[in-house]
């Protein structure tokens, strides 16, 4: 889709100049680098995605027919015309997905189909109608704000949300039917509106850019840059995929005839100099609508909207802020990265540097901070840890906000992903050690795979999150880098090896020595513990000598453990402070240099030497590292 003549956006373009030959060459070089970085998948993989979506459409139609039959078993016309629709949203619908990407999917059904039927019927129907063994890691999440079923279909991760259109008795039998009509929102709750708006926002973004092809290539570049620089995660206080897409779309509106390389270059300059909190808008906000009770973003009316530091507003009604989680520290980090992007992209366009320099990995662990906090959630079963770690992850930014208020902290930067680890131990004392950060009992991913407990999909920050055939990123054993709550695995004892299984004694004559089962030593059962670590880098104010975080830590733990999700017999939560040279080795990739403990030089000072006087001791104290206190 392209709109070359129609002016798009809330302001006229800055420039409508046609691209030069040099700019075209830079765009070709950018495309070549993105391919080299592995951001594109093969045609066969894409065809597989479409085949999975076709299967989901077939299953959805059958689901609606069964729901109609359950609702009105004698209404043959209702059952005959019953149908649902599958829509996608996010990176797949935007056309910027890559190898290993999941598919964000929406099931739309008529008004008579209920959420209860969705969770009662659809999971079993998936297994029934899909090819044998195609459905794995099936996890319905009925308690989520937006009803969702998570699963993998033939190795492709699917997040399937649900919405029942209250204004439609039956869905139209029209392949071109879409969700862009605002009247479809009538009678829907806030979570149902949010379900529909994923697709509506994605479609609106594509309709508001001058050239889709230019937009998509530029967005691929900005997504890869944001992921590599660890500033891509809405839940952790950074812009998510939709927010970055809207920023790129706005630059496309301002330079409607530019190439993708120019869009990337202008992106950094414009966003670095954007007069926040002036909102980024792709079109004027629709006010004075009475279709839904869901509030439209309006800082003149709502105080909470006035607090948004970096408002990026969705174009579909009802308009919402996609970056309400961005805080002071994360915004400062984004500004630093934009400055870096401006410098590098300028040199790239002048032919002085290659595009790959823009996509260099972050230095969060290698050269980012001297001090870190690590938030450790733990579970005695993977089911428990799946629920608990997801909840704790959604609250980490609250801890960051509290840390930002501390007078000794200049910046508190959360890493955008958590590290999932599996541990095996034998005693409760060892469990407590694990819960406080001890990695002595950690199991390598290859070991967990051998015992059937590995994740079926690894998403690590290598080659733009490329998934290898066996689901494990290349290189030495590295824990899974977490983006969303993980799937479910049972905790239990490690199975005995075949040679260690008790052997039933064969029948023997009365004079032979009898072997009793209880005489055969059994292998002591091991306990599996699942943990997720989230790291927060701390930059202290100048001359800070000590840092007492016990109040912030206690408040955060009380907030998390007071929630009904928390089960003390299954779950744990601790917060530890860590120096950079004490970071675990698995947060570093091959070739990266881990910080080392500074070596203190001891000097022998003669008695009466001025260097050993009170003034010298005060100077020594002034150069000593600050102490950090965090009560557990």
């Amino acid at each position: 889709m392209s709109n070359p003549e129609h002016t798009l956006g809330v302001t006229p373009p800055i420039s409508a100049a046609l691209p030069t030959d040099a700019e075209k060459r830079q765009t070709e070089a950018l495309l070549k680098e993105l391919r080299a970085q592995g951001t594109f998948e093969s045609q066969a993989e894409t065809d597989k995605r479409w085949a999975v979506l076709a299967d989901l459409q077939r299953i959805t139609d059958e689901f609606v027919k069964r729901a109609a039959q359950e609702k009105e078993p004698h209404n043959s016309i209702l059952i005959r015309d019953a149908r649902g629709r599958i829509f996608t949203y996010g990176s797949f619908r935007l056309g910027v997905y890559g190898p290993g990407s999941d598919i964000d999917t929406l099931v739309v059904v008529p008004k008579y189909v209920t959420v209860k039927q969705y969770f009662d019927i659809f999971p079993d129907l998936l297994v029934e109608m899909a090819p044998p063994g195609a459905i794995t890691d099936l996890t319905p999440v009925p308690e989520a704000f937006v009803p969702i079923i998570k699963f993998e279909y033939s190795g492709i991760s699917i997040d399937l949300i649900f919405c029942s259109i209250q204004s439609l008795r039956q869905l139209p039998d029209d392949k071109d039917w879409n969700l862009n009509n605002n009247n479809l929102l009538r009678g829907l709750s806030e979570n149902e509106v949010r379900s529909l708006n994923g697709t509506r926002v994605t479609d609106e973004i594509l309709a508001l850019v001058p050239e889709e092809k230019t937009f998509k290539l530029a967005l691929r570049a900005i997504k890869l840059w944001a992921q590599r620089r660890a500033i891509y995660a809405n839940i952790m206080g950074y812009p998510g995929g939709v927010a970055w897409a809207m920023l790129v779309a706005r630059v496309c509106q301002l330079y409607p005839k530019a190439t993708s390389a120019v869009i990337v270059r202008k992106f950094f300059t414009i966003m670095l100099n954007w007069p926040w909190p002036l909102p980024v808008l792709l079109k004027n906000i629709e006010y004075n609508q009475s279709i839904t009770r869901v509030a439209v973003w309006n800082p003149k009316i709502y105080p909470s909207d006035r607090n948004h530091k970096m408002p990026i507003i969705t174009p579909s009604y009802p308009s919402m802020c996609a970056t309400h989680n961005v805080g002071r520290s994360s915004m400062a980090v984004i500004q630093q990265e934009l400055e870096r992007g401006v410098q590098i992209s300028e040199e790239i366009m002048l032919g002085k540097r290659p595009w790959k320099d823009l996509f260099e990995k972050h230095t969060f662990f290698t050269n980012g901070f001297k001090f870190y906090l690590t938030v450790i959630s733990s579970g005695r079963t993977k089911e428990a840890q799946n629920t608990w770690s997801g909840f704790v992850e959604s609250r980490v930014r609250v801890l960051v906000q509290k840390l930002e208020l501390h007078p000794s902290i200049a910046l508190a930067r959360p890493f955008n992903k958590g590290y999932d680890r599996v541990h095996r131990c034998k005693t409760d004392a060892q469990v407590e050690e694990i819960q406080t950060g001890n990695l002595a009992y950690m199991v390598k991913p290859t070991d967990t795979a051998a015992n059937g407990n590995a994740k079926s999909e690894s998403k690590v920050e290598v080659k733009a999150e490329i998934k290898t055939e066996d689901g494990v990123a290349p290189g030495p054993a590295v824990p899974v880098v977490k983006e969303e709550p993980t799937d479910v695995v049972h905790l239990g004892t490690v199975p005995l090896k075949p040679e260690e299984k008790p052997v039933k004694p064969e029948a023997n004559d009365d004079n032979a020595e009898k072997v009793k089962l209880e005489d055969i030593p059994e292998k002591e059962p091991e306990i599996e513990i699942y943990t997720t670590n989230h790291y927060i880098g701390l930059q202290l104010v100048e001359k800070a000598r000590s840092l007492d975080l016990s109040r912030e830590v206690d408040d955060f733990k009380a907030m998390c453990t007071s929630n009904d999700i928390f089960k003390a017999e299954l779950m744990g939560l601790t917060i530890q402070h860590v120096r950079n040279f004490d970071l675990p080795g698995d947060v570093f990739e091959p070739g990266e240099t881990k910080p080392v403990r500074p070596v203190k030089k001891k000097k022998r000072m003669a008695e009466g030497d001025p260097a050993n006087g009170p003034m010298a001791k005060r100077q020594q104290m002034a150069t000593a590292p600050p102490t950090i206190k965090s009560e557990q």
Side-chain angles (χ1 to χ4, degrees), residues 125-152:
L125 195 59
L126 271 172
V127 177
E128 175 187 331
M129 295 187 65
I135 303 298
T136 58
D137 298 333
L138 181 59
T139 310
V141 192
E143 68 275 7
F145 181 70
V146 174
I148 186 170
I149 298 176
K150 296 170 175 280
F151 57 95
E152 288 201 4

Side-chain angles (χ1 to χ4, degrees), residues 153-370:
Y153 195 121
S154 298
I156 298 174
S157 181
I158 306 288
D159 288 346
L160 194 64
I161 61 176
F162 170 89
C163 185
S164 176
I165 305 295
Q166 296 303 302
S167 58
L168 294 178
R169 175 72 169 172
Q170 293 284 24
L171 301 191
D173 186 14
D174 179 4
K175 293 182 179 180
D176 295 327
W177 180 71
N178 57 50
L179 304 175
N180 295 337
N181 189 337
N182 289 348
N183 287 317
L184 294 176
L185 304 179
R186 292 188 183 278
L188 300 185
S189 63
E190 181 177 354
N191 59 342
E192 291 169 330
V193 169
R194 289 180 182 272
S195 294
L196 281 191
N197 263 11
T199 298
R200 283 163 52 84
V201 167
T202 305
D203 288 350
E204 193 86 66
I205 291 172
L206 292 175
L208 290 170
V209 295
E211 290 288 343
E212 275 193 23
K213 185 177 180 181
T214 300
F215 163 73
K216 290 178 180 180
L217 183 59
L219 179 56
R220 279 186 181 272
I222 295 303
K223 281 188 63 174
L224 179 59
W225 163 80
Q227 289 167 345
R228 291 289 172 82
R229 304 308 296 176
I231 52 172
Y232 187 104
N234 177 59
I235 197 170
M236 301 306 293
Y238 302 103
V242 171
W244 289 119
M246 289 189 286
L247 292 182
V248 175
R250 183 67 185 118
V251 178
C252 288
Q253 292 178 338
L254 296 173
Y255 295 90
K257 298 185 183 300
T259 64
S260 298
V262 173
I263 295 299
V264 172
R265 165 69 186 88
K266 296 295 184 182
F267 169 89
F268 291 110
T269 302
I270 289 175
M271 293 308 154
L272 177 61
N273 296 288
W274 192 268
W276 306 108
L278 181 72
V280 171
L281 301 171
L282 297 182
K283 71 174 191 179
N284 290 317
I285 297 176
E286 298 179 57
Y287 293 116
N288 303 319
Q289 297 271 357
S290 58
I291 295 174
T292 177
R293 294 183 179 180
V294 179
V296 176
W297 188 82
N298 191 338
K300 295 180 179 179
I301 297 177
Y302 305 112
S304 59
D305 292 348
R306 288 196 292 272
N307 294 330
H308 295 159
K309 293 176 170 55
M310 188 181 175
I312 303 170
I313 309 305
T314 58
S316 296
Y317 173 84
S319 293
M320 304 177 186
C321 180
T323 45
H324 61 276
N325 288 339
V326 173
R328 176 172 61 84
S329 293
S330 53
M331 187 170 181
V333 172
I334 293 168
Q335 292 294 104
Q336 293 171 5
E337 293 297 339
L338 289 171
E339 289 178 5
R340 173 184 175 274
V342 166
Q343 177 186 354
I344 294 177
S345 61
E346 281 181 352
E347 296 180 2
I348 289 173
M349 296 303 288
L350 292 173
K352 296 181 179 180
R353 299 181 72 165
W355 279 106
K356 68 177 182 179
D357 288 0
L358 183 65
F359 307 123
E360 286 182 355
K361 189 191 169 187
H362 61 84
T363 58
F364 181 86
F365 295 111
T366 57
N367 194 31
F369 302 90
K370 291 183 178 179

Side-chain angles (χ1 to χ4, degrees), residues 565-611:
I565 289 176
F566 178 70
K567 302 292 186 292
E569 68 277 10
L570 292 175
M571 304 167 182
L573 178 63
T574 58
I575 301 176
Q576 301 282 339
H577 65 268
V578 183
R579 292 292 299 270
N580 57 353
F581 50 77
D582 285 328
L583 287 167
D586 56 22
V587 303
F588 301 96
E589 291 185 2
E592 291 183 336
T593 302
K594 180 179 178 179
V596 296
R597 183 188 297 270
V599 178
K600 295 181 180 181
K601 295 182 180 180
K602 296 182 179 180
K603 293 183 179 180
R604 180 177 297 177
M605 290 176 280
E607 188 175 346
D609 192 326

Side-chain angles (χ1 to χ4, degrees), residues 502-505 515-522:
V503 180
K504 183 177 180 180
V515 180
K516 298 180 181 179
L517 286 176
E518 56 266 26
D519 294 335
I520 300 176
E522 295 184 3

Side-chain angles (χ1 to χ4, degrees), residues 28 30-31 86 104 108 132 135 218 268 281 360 430 432 473 492 496 517 601 611:
E28 293 174 359
L30 174 61
L31 175 59
I86 286 287
D104 295 316
V108 176
I135 303 298
F268 291 110
L281 301 171
E360 286 182 355
Q430 292 172 343
E432 292 181 5
L496 295 171
L517 286 176
K601 295 182 180 180

